[in-house]
Amino acid sequence: MRAAQAIASTRRRALVLTGGAALVAGAMPRLARAQGEDIVIGGSIPMTGVFAFAGIGINAGIADYVKMVNDAGGIKGRKLRYVPEDTGYKVDVSVAAFKKITSQNKVNLYYGDSTGFAKTINGELDRSGQMLMAGASFASELNNPAKYPHQFLVGPDYTEMFGILLNHIAKEKPGAKVAFVYSDSEFGRDPIEASEATAKKLGLSVPVKIMTPAGSVDVSTEVIKLRRAAPDYTIFHGYILAPIPEFIQQGKQQGMTSKWMGTFWTMDSSTVMKMGEAGDGFMGVMPFRYYYDTEKAPMLEKIRALRPEYQSTAYIQGFLTAMLFAEAAKRTLDAGKPLDGKNLKAALNTIKDFDTGGIIGTPITISGNSIPVGRVYRADMKAQKMVAASDWIKL
């Protein structure tokens, strides 16, 4: 009972945090729906708990795009309606939220908060056949249309993220030595084995792989191993922030000259800036442009007009997810087909050379379950910004 009350109160708080955008999207009078039922986006969103920093941004991004579409008249006369529930980033709570939302609404599209939830709910998605799902996960396992036919990833999977970094390294320093440092978690282990094979194909070597507990603090023993391997580049994966700054600081103190890199969930501007002096020059892969990027991007300009303060990469990911949901729905309706999971996924897979309004800086094609595109960015601590260190790399 308490959990249900907490979820309800957090949801009310989420609506306030997003400027009431979700309420605006959901409060359409019945007369306005005369041209057809609402197109419903359900959401298991971690507004509290360890992933709240991302959930708050994701929630705002989805709600803002829903409001933009509805303000412009909807999709073929139908309004988008966004129905989120807080999950605290817990799989059982997320499953309960899914059941609640889908029992009270005819849901067409769904945002999931984690890999665990995506895997747990997959059987239900297949059984009902009613919806298309994306979410916060970039797990390589989900990038399998045969096993996960009603899901997709809004960006490259973790193995593809490593592939983008390794392609950049191979171009910048052929034959380089690359170390992998990752957490002892499903998230951390995900891309390691496949990425070692990719490195070898690109003529790179992987002299050391180091696994640490996800929340490790004392990494002095691991830093000694890393220094002995003398890598030209070190890629961290399976962490948000700690223990990355500890590795870099101790590595530099011991004379290491490695370049340091990370993957998506480490690469929000606010996260990297917390590294302080150690983070200067830190690089990583980002599937989207940053809020403050100055290159031409009409959709980023709309976001900046709507929200003048910095918005996280989680916000951008949520916003783009809603955009791709809407595009899949539009293409399905244009084809005169029902909005079910099979048709929505088939419509999504017709996306070819699609312009996201500059959120991704190159046209995208979604042929499978991922968008295998990204760019390497580098931290400029003086400017307090992430700056482009490569062109857009497509795998």
Side-chain angles (χ1 to χ4, degrees), residues 302-345:
K302 285 186 180 181
I303 290 169
R304 289 192 289 254
L306 190 67
R307 292 183 180 267
E309 68 286 357
Y310 170 79
Q311 294 300 310
S312 69
T313 49
Y315 172 97
I316 303 293
Q317 200 256 8
F319 189 95
L320 181 61
T321 303
M323 183 191 294
L324 294 173
F325 277 165
E327 185 63 24
K330 178 182 176 296
R331 291 180 183 220
T332 303
L333 293 174
D334 282 346
K337 293 181 177 178
L339 291 174
D340 61 27
K342 184 180 177 183
N343 292 335
L344 284 162
K345 182 62 181 353

Side-chain angles (χ1 to χ4, degrees), residues 138-383:
F138 296 99
S140 303
E141 183 182 339
L142 301 181
N143 193 7
N144 181 340
K147 192 174 176 184
Y148 296 93
H150 300 113
Q151 298 197 47
F152 72 101
L153 311 176
V154 187
D157 69 34
Y158 293 128
T159 302
E160 289 168 340
M161 288 183 194
F162 263 66
I164 290 163
L165 291 174
L166 293 169
N167 271 275
H168 174 71
I169 291 167
K171 187 176 177 183
E172 188 174 80
K173 186 165 185 175
K177 292 192 287 182
V178 187
F180 296 168
V181 180
Y182 58 100
S183 67
D184 183 6
S185 64
E186 186 179 17
F187 171 29
R189 291 186 295 271
D190 178 318
I192 302 304
E193 189 178 336
S195 298
E196 191 171 12
T198 300
K200 285 173 183 169
K201 279 181 192 170
L202 291 168
L204 306 169
S205 64
V206 182
V208 68
K209 295 179 292 180
I210 295 172
M211 185 169 74
T212 79
S216 56
V217 179
D218 181 7
V219 294
S220 52
T221 306
E222 285 81 5
V223 173
I224 291 167
K225 288 181 199 166
L226 196 60
R227 179 177 57 78
R228 283 182 189 145
D232 301 298
Y233 297 81
T234 302
I235 301 176
F236 295 98
H237 178 72
Y239 311 103
I240 305 297
L241 185 57
I244 297 172
E246 290 80 4
F247 267 100
I248 297 173
Q249 284 162 357
Q250 292 183 37
K252 285 181 175 178
Q253 284 165 5
Q254 294 182 33
M256 286 185 67
T257 56
S258 173
K259 290 186 177 180
W260 313 90
M261 296 178 136
T263 51
F264 180 81
W265 289 114
T266 297
M267 287 298 289
D268 184 57
S269 192
S270 61
T271 303
V272 177
M273 295 308 144
K274 285 175 188 164
M275 294 184 191
E277 193 181 329
D280 196 43
F282 183 84
M283 293 187 290
V285 59
M286 178 50 58
F288 325 119
R289 282 212 175 102
Y290 284 87
Y291 171 87
Y292 45 62
D293 275 11
T294 54
E295 296 161 88
K296 186 171 171 57
M299 200 56 83
L300 274 184
E301 287 167 22
K302 285 186 180 181
I303 290 169
R304 289 192 289 254
L306 190 67
R307 292 183 180 267
E309 68 286 357
Y310 170 79
Q311 294 300 310
S312 69
T313 49
Y315 172 97
I316 303 293
Q317 200 256 8
F319 189 95
L320 181 61
T321 303
M323 183 191 294
L324 294 173
F325 277 165
E327 185 63 24
K330 178 182 176 296
R331 291 180 183 220
T332 303
L333 293 174
D334 282 346
K337 293 181 177 178
L339 291 174
D340 61 27
K342 184 180 177 183
N343 292 335
L344 284 162
K345 182 62 181 353
L348 183 85
N349 287 144
T350 66
I351 288 176
K352 189 177 180 187
D353 297 328
F354 178 73
D355 181 4
T356 60
I359 286 180
I360 295 174
T362 186
I364 63 168
T365 296
I366 308 177
S367 56
N369 275 14
S370 74
I371 309 169
V373 174
R375 189 186 213 181
V376 179
Y377 278 83
R378 176 178 53 79
D380 182 336
M381 285 299 170
K382 281 185 185 171

